[in-house]
């Protein structure tokens, strides 16, 4: 794995550039969409929340068959079409003027996004050797954070302007960013679709061991709304720390991932190293939760110190868990169904984003310190359960990282089309 923040030239760098282009647009979209739908479209906040919840529920279901389509028809072509579909869905928000059209457009957007994520993972698996995938995903995560930061800055300019034209410009930018992503993806080598063996109507759901691994990973992902919701509410309502710390902690997290995610992923090359990383991240997350809890009732600057230390521990746990789960999600997927399995594994993110706010607000704001400790304890339990679950999913004969890499290189690499 390279030590630089820029992936090697070739398909890896092109994938990173594609990630960068659409993440800039997404960053601008994320910070402006709520106000656009309420202030410009004129929807009630509750209806916006309901519509987006329905949309991501549909998207999480549709992501699996779209991933299966990428396996069968070829991930590059599928990814290009889904990138174009995502851009078209974003553009449709520009003409939405009611709740029902909004829900339809949001469902199209969420479905295309979920399918695109699965197809890109399948494309990555076809273009990059098994031993390099986690390292490339670390690069892509760093690129994602950089793009989101730039996009959030552009979105902030639109928020400052506060005009309808500024909001429309943001959505147009996001739509164009997916067109640019499609243009970059089409430059990649083609990966042939594979003949998928018949697995029954339930598909990946028949693989109960992989389902268990996905569920455990979903528990670990409940920390996702922590930075955007849990900590801001905790700081405002349970501590005497200044509210500007909320922004500072967000910058700290984003910057740390940009700089250290690649380094954190170094050495994770197979099942054993991945499960160790996940298990270690569980203990670090427990420590972070305990330190966060100490900020309640403390003096302002003691609270600031505790929150900063907790944020450092939290982002370390986040990077370790992410790197380990990436490796597991690929290693445990059959070679002919990577897209389908990645589509299912990605539903954990949707579930965590949907359920996480309710879980975190209940645990942290209502229970306080015991809630923090319960969150950390659940993370440790899930991280330790991941090892046996992953070994069961992998089956016999996958006990060492060396065996895993050889099996990945020989049996898991799809054939490139000429």
């Amino acid at each position: 794995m390279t030590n630089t923040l820029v992936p090697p030239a070739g398909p890896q760098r092109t994938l990173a550039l594609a990630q960068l282009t659409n993440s800039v647009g997404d960053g601008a979209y994320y910070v402006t969409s709520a106000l656009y739908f309420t202030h410009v479209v004129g929807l009630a906040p509750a209806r916006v929340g309901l519509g987006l919840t329905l949309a991501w529920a549909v998207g999480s279901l549709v992501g699996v068959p779209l991933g299966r389509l990428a396996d069968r028809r070829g991930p590059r072509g599928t990814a290009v079409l889904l990138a174009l579909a995502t851009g078209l869905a974003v553009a449709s928000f520009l003409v939405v003027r009611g709740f029902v059209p909004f829900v339809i457009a949001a469902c199209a957007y969420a479905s295309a996004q979920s399918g695109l994520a699965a197809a890109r993972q399948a494309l990555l698996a076809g273009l990059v050797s098994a031993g390099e995938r986690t390292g490339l995903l670390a690069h892509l995560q760093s690129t994602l954070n950089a793009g989101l930061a730039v996009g959030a800055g552009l979105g902030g300019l639109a928020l400052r302007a506060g005009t309808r034209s500024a909001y429309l410009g943001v959505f147009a930018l996001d739509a164009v960013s997916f067109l640019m992503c499609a243009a970059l993806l089409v430059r990649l080598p083609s990966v042939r679709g594979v003949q998928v063996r018949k697995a029954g109507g339930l598909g990946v759901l028949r693989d109960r061991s992989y389902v268990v691994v996905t569920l455990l990973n979903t528990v670990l992902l409940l920390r996702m709304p922590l930075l955007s919701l849990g900590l801001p509410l905790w700081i405002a309502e349970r501590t005497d720390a200044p509210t500007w710390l909320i922004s500072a902690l967000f910058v700290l997290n984003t910057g740390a991932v940009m700089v250290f995610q690649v380094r954190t992923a170094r050495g994770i090359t197979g099942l054993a190293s991945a499960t160790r990383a996940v298990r270690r991240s569980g203990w670090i997350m427990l420590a972070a939760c305990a330190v966060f809890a100490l900020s309640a009732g403390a003096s302002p600057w003691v609270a600031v110190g505790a929150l900063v230390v907790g944020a450092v521990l939290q982002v370390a746990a986040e990077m370790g868990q992410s790197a380990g789960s990436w490796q597991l999600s690929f290693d445990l997927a059959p070679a002919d169904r990577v897209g389908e399995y990645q589509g299912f594994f990605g539903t954990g993110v949707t579930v965590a984003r949907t359920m996480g706010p309710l879980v975190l607000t209940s645990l942290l704001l209502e229970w306080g310190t015991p809630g923090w400790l319960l969150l950390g304890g659940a993370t440790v339990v899930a991280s330790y359960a991941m090892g046996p679950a992953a070994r069961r999913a992998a089956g016999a004969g996958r006990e060492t990282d060396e065996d895993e890499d050889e099996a990945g290189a020989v049996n898991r690499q799809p054939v490139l089309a000429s």
Side-chain angles (χ1 to χ4, degrees):
M1 182 185 300
T2 178
N3 292 332
T4 67
L5 297 178
V6 180
Q12 295 194 38
R13 189 168 295 175
T14 302
L15 285 167
L17 288 173
Q19 176 77 82
L20 179 63
T21 55
N22 75 258
S23 62
V24 170
D26 277 346
Y29 167 84
Y30 291 150
V31 300
T32 59
S33 58
L35 292 182
Y36 172 78
F37 293 132
T38 55
H39 292 181
V40 177
V41 179
L43 299 174
R47 288 201 139 195
V48 173
L50 174 62
L52 292 177
T53 299
L54 291 172
W56 284 110
V58 171
S60 65
L61 295 175
V62 173
V64 175
L66 288 177
R68 188 181 301 167
L69 178 67
D71 292 330
R72 293 178 175 177
R73 300 300 182 185
R76 189 193 68 173
T78 305
V80 169
L81 290 176
L82 288 172
L84 294 173
T86 307
L88 181 61
V90 172
S92 71
F93 285 130
L94 297 172
V95 296
V96 163
R97 292 297 179 268
F99 179 67
V100 173
F102 162 69
V103 172
I104 294 173
C107 287
Y109 171 77
S111 299
Q113 277 272 46
S114 298
L116 176 60
R120 286 209 285 201
Q121 297 290 70
L123 180 59
L124 183 152
L127 296 174
V128 181
S129 66
E132 295 178 310
R133 290 172 191 165
T134 297
L136 176 56
L137 284 166
H139 281 296
L140 295 180
Q141 185 70 11
S142 298
T143 302
L144 172 67
N145 276 265
L148 290 176
V150 173
L154 296 174
L157 295 176
L159 292 175
R160 182 175 178 82
T163 64
R164 182 175 183 273
S165 298
Y167 286 119
L168 293 178
V170 166
F171 278 74
L173 170 66
D174 195 20
V176 170
S177 75
F178 280 98
L179 297 182
M180 295 174 63
C181 173
L184 287 166
L185 291 175
V186 81
R187 294 170 52 191
L188 291 166
S190 179
V191 177
R192 286 181 186 157
V194 293
Q195 187 65 40
V196 181
R197 60 181 181 273
K198 192 170 182 61
L202 294 177
V204 63
L205 294 178
R206 294 171 60 89
D207 190 341
R208 287 177 291 183
S209 297
Y210 196 87
V211 170
V212 170
V213 170
T214 301
L215 290 175
L216 291 172
N217 190 62
T218 302
V219 174
L220 299 177
L221 289 175
L222 288 176
R223 48 89 183 157
M224 290 187 68
L226 190 61
L227 199 64
S228 60
L229 180 69
L231 274 175
L233 292 176
W234 175 262
I235 290 171
E237 298 190 18
R238 287 297 195 104
T239 78
D240 293 323
T243 54
W244 55 258
L245 186 64
I246 296 171
S247 177
L249 295 182
F250 182 86
V251 173
L252 185 151
N253 180 279
T254 304
V257 172
M258 288 171 57
V259 176
F260 295 111
Q261 182 66 79
V262 174
R263 184 177 302 175
T264 302
R266 188 183 303 129
I268 298 178
T269 57
L271 182 64
S273 53
T275 53
R276 283 196 301 270
V278 172
R279 187 165 59 244
R280 184 166 54 247
S281 73
W283 284 111
I284 298 174
M285 189 63 194
L286 174 60
C289 290
V291 173
F292 282 137
L294 294 176
S295 63
S299 66
W301 291 110
V302 170
V304 168
L307 290 165
V308 170
V309 171
V312 171
L313 292 170
Q314 186 269 330
V315 73
E318 173 187 334
M319 291 187 292
Q321 184 268 328
S322 296
S325 66
W326 294 331
Q327 188 75 36
L328 292 174
S329 70
F330 277 108
D331 278 7
L332 300 177
D336 60 348
R337 297 166 67 192
V338 173
E340 177 186 352
Y341 271 59
Q342 288 296 315
F344 179 72
F345 197 79
T347 61
V349 174
T350 303
V351 173
R353 285 176 173 167
T354 303
M355 296 182 57
L358 177 61
V359 172
L360 290 182
T361 53
S362 298
L363 285 178
L364 307 185
L365 298 184
E366 295 182 16
W367 290 24
T369 297
W372 276 112
L373 297 179
L374 182 58
L375 176 63
T379 302
V380 170
V381 171
S383 66
Y384 264 79
M386 186 68 82
R391 287 192 291 271
R392 182 174 180 180
R398 295 291 304 270
E399 297 180 357
T400 67
D401 286 351
E402 290 78 8
D403 291 340
E404 291 168 288
D405 291 341
E406 291 176 6
V410 174
N411 299 322
R412 292 172 178 269
Q413 190 75 7
V415 179
L416 296 183
S418 57

